[in-house]
Amino acid sequence: MADRRLVRRLLFRTPGGAAAALSALVAPQSRSHSTRAASPAEGERGGAGRGGDRVRGDWLTLPPFDRAVVDGAALGRELSRGGSAEPGEAATMTALKWVLRCCPELPRSLVQKLFRLRQVRREFVEGGLSDVGTQTVDCRLKRVAAKDSINLGDRIYLPISVKELPSKKQECRCNSEEVNFVRGIVLHKDDAIIAVNKPPGMPVQGGVGISRSFDEVAITCLKYDHQENPRLVHRLDKDCSGILVMGRTQTSATFLHSLFREKTVGALNNDSASRKRLLQRKYWALVIGSPRRSKGVISAPLGKVLMDNGKSDRITIINGRQTIPSYHAITEYEVIESRHGYTWLQLSPLTGRKHQLRVHCAEALGTPIVGDYKYGWQAHRNFKNWQVSNSEESFSRKLKGRALPFGLDLDNGSISDERPRLHLHSNQVLLPNIALALQNMQLSSGYDLSELETLELVAPLPPYMQKSLDFLK
């Protein structure tokens, strides 16, 4: 939505400065379907191509398509089927994908709008004989659609005015203490991915009222020596802690996107073998009460319900009688331990729906997560904090640390405090070694993805959840 407003504002501003360049970007240049590439001289004087558009040299030339570039989305789909992949198969590339790969700073909505307005070109070489009988080569620019496949060596041209657009992700300035803190929570780093133990209380993405989000901070703190910025491939709630995986290149990010998507598809199709091979995520949650069964599978559709005259919304389980759009969600759960009216659960989401674990715990199991006031507010109305002994108070003081950057507080919020924080933590992720897969795809003509080794990422509990765990023991 923000990108759409940006595009609308840029397209209809009063001409002048960057707006003047953008007016040239979206203005139809001709009714003809092809144009000759302009020489530098023609670019200055506004020459016209033979039978083509009026060319002013105002094109941004992208690098030629190289078949050695691996299509991460195709690799992810191939991995979900447990097969091998040829480089030529994985390198099937559309014009839209190539523009997004070469220009990651451009909003996707703007790139799509350029294609809809027919402002994207592909170089077309045409040979012929001149008047004196010599061979000539005429380079023309033909309009290209977003879904058109591009061939080896093809060049894509964009209006030069796109260079006036601001980057969709502005770098967030961080001091040395903040940089050291963010790098200190890194769990794994290779050429393809970077995984961190996200602290609770830090939003993953920006939005209304959010000044600093993790994806913006990562551009400054986690780029290291890479040319590309780290990219989000999944999300965690602001108050949820644990493993957050980011792609370090566009190829690895699309690979991970494909894995997450295929995991959901495999779960909905009851493809258990594919589901386990692709990706596994395990969460720890402390809930109020205890489920009737020690383990099981929750399969319940979720939908969004508007509240307060549309000012807020919440996710809820949708039954067959309701007409609200819904998306099926599946969660495996298992009881780890039950003590004193609380239960530690291990949760494994097989699909990736918004607030899936929180809603399934509160509504399907009847055991809301401690600190979840959105979906477990009734259980928290009569909540009584854990009464700690002197020895437990001494233990609690030992866990107290110095003030943390970004205004984070990881010590307060256990069940001994009056208002406990959300006790939901992504503690384990199993995923394929994407860096090795991409490396082998460059070296081997037919790499067997089914034999790809697995990475196991584990994140320790935040201090306040560790306190709750020790108190109950």
Side-chain angles (χ1 to χ4, degrees), residues 209-333:
I210 298 176
S211 58
R212 305 180 85 179
S213 57
F214 192 84
D215 59 340
E216 295 172 340
V217 169
I219 296 176
T220 300
C221 303
L222 300 180
K223 187 174 180 179
Y224 295 98
D225 56 350
H226 266 50
Q227 294 183 346
E228 300 183 55
N229 296 328
R231 296 172 170 85
L232 290 175
V233 296
H234 69 111
R235 295 165 181 81
L236 294 177
D237 291 346
K238 174 184 176 181
D239 295 319
C240 179
S241 60
I243 301 172
L244 180 70
V245 181
M246 306 181 77
R248 302 193 71 188
T249 65
Q250 183 160 1
T251 301
S252 61
T254 55
F255 197 150
L256 284 165
H257 271 301
S258 182
L259 291 182
F260 277 89
R261 182 173 57 251
E262 294 295 330
K263 173 184 171 67
T264 295
V265 172
L268 296 177
N269 294 334
N270 198 26
D271 186 1
S272 59
S274 173
R275 183 172 67 229
K276 292 180 180 179
R277 181 173 58 253
L278 279 174
L279 186 69
Q280 294 184 54
R281 291 182 294 164
K282 296 180 181 180
Y283 290 71
W284 270 39
L286 180 63
V287 299
I288 302 174
S290 180
R292 294 182 180 180
R293 297 180 177 86
S294 60
K295 63 179 180 179
V297 178
I298 306 168
S299 182
L302 303 179
K304 181 188 293 186
V305 177
L306 297 179
M307 305 176 65
D308 300 329
N309 295 325
K311 296 180 180 179
S312 63
D313 60 72
R314 60 177 288 142
I315 307 299
T316 186
I317 293 178
I318 304 298
N319 57 45
R321 296 187 301 273
Q322 294 172 290
T323 59
I324 300 173
S326 62
Y327 300 92
H328 210 79
I330 306 173
T331 303
E332 291 180 344
Y333 74 92

Side-chain angles (χ1 to χ4, degrees), residues 40-53:
E42 286 176 328
E44 295 175 1
R45 67 176 181 266
R50 183 185 63 188
D53 296 343

Side-chain angles (χ1 to χ4, degrees), residues 48-212:
R50 183 185 63 188
D53 296 343
R54 183 178 179 85
V55 179
R56 298 183 301 273
D58 51 356
W59 294 101
L60 175 65
T61 307
L62 303 187
F65 172 58
D66 183 358
R67 214 174 270 282
V69 176
V70 178
D71 186 348
L75 274 181
R77 290 192 298 270
E78 191 65 29
L79 178 59
S80 69
R81 305 185 187 110
S84 60
E86 298 288 337
E89 296 173 345
T92 301
M93 186 66 65
T94 64
L96 174 62
K97 288 181 180 179
W98 188 243
V99 173
L100 293 174
R101 181 185 298 275
C102 296
C103 305
E105 73 282 357
L106 295 180
R108 184 185 183 94
S109 61
L110 175 62
V111 175
Q112 292 172 329
K113 192 174 187 72
L114 290 176
F115 277 104
R116 290 198 303 271
L117 294 175
R118 307 176 76 182
Q119 297 298 307
V120 185
R121 301 288 192 271
R122 173 169 58 183
E123 189 175 68
F124 176 73
V125 180
E126 186 177 43
L129 293 176
S130 66
D131 295 337
V132 295
T134 60
Q135 185 73 25
T136 63
V137 177
D138 189 17
C139 294
R140 298 171 178 266
L141 302 183
K142 299 186 67 175
R143 291 177 180 138
V144 60
K147 295 183 179 181
D148 286 352
S149 299
I150 58 176
N151 302 315
L152 182 66
D154 280 358
R155 290 183 181 271
I156 300 295
Y157 293 77
L158 301 178
I160 196 67
S161 308
V162 298
K163 298 177 70 174
E164 301 290 338
L165 289 171
S167 172
K168 65 178 178 180
K169 285 295 179 188
Q170 300 295 329
E171 185 170 327
C172 179
R173 294 183 179 179
C174 297
N175 58 41
S176 59
E177 183 183 12
E178 293 170 336
V179 172
N180 292 334
F181 173 80
V182 174
R183 292 185 176 182
I185 61 176
V186 172
L187 299 171
H188 175 84
K189 175 169 66 72
D190 57 33
D191 290 337
I193 70 170
I194 186 166
V196 300
N197 185 6
K198 187 193 85 71
M202 192 168 195
V204 170
Q205 276 190 305
V208 178
I210 298 176
S211 58
R212 305 180 85 179

